[in-house]
Amino acid sequence: MRSLQKISAWGLVSSLLLPFIIGWCILTIEERSVEQNVSHLLAAGIETSLLTVIRIAKEDQQILRWEREDEFEYRGEMYDVVARSESSDSLTFHCWHDVDESEVKEKIQHFLARLK
């Protein structure tokens, strides 16, 4: 009798957690795939005209949320840094606006919000 209760409890817990685990895995795989695609694109070289230039004052640099040394989020969108320069009062980044990764990040946020 007790083992049947344990099996039932594990079944209930598994049925509640399984959708979360599967959803998280799918989104993580999608995010990695997008990151690899952008890495290959940038490694192959990209036309300067396709880059987005972001210039900010040095005192405002905290508005950039860095994910890695060469990638940040700015105003809810993801950017991969191709080149950067600095003047006495500002920072300039020539970036690939990573629309695909921005969409994946948004999906992840919606997914996590549904869990609350």
Side-chain angles (χ1 to χ4, degrees):
M1 188 74 141
R2 202 168 272 255
S3 63
L4 184 58
Q5 288 175 336
K6 285 181 182 179
I7 291 171
S8 294
W10 277 109
L12 178 62
V13 169
S14 296
S15 67
L16 293 174
L17 289 178
L18 196 58
F20 169 77
I21 293 169
I22 291 172
W24 185 257
C25 288
I26 290 170
L27 289 172
T28 300
I29 290 168
E30 186 177 351
E31 182 179 31
R32 299 285 183 259
S33 174
V34 167
E35 288 173 356
Q36 285 181 337
N37 290 343
V38 170
S39 289
H40 293 304
L41 175 72
L42 296 178
I46 191 163
E47 260 186 65
T48 308
S49 64
L50 298 175
L51 298 177
T52 300
V53 177
I54 297 175
R55 184 172 290 115
I56 60 168
K58 282 185 175 179
E59 65 261 12
D60 295 333
Q61 63 183 308
Q62 73 279 358
I63 64 175
L64 304 178
R65 192 179 62 76
W66 290 90
E67 296 252 332
R68 294 190 311 266
E69 183 179 313
D70 61 347
E71 180 181 45
F72 61 84
E73 182 179 330
Y74 175 63
R75 295 183 178 167
E77 297 290 318
M78 297 303 299
Y79 295 89
D80 292 280
V81 178
V82 175
R84 63 181 82 203
S85 60
E86 186 175 334
S87 68
S88 60
D89 63 344
S90 66
L91 302 168
T92 302
F93 301 97
H94 295 262
C95 308
W96 172 255
H97 181 193
D98 197 342
V99 175
D100 292 335
E101 188 169 0
S102 298
E103 289 175 2
V104 172
K105 296 279 186 192
E106 187 175 335
K107 286 180 188 178
I108 290 171
Q109 291 303 317
H110 284 120
F111 178 77
L112 294 174
R114 286 190 313 195
L115 297 175
K116 293 181 179 180

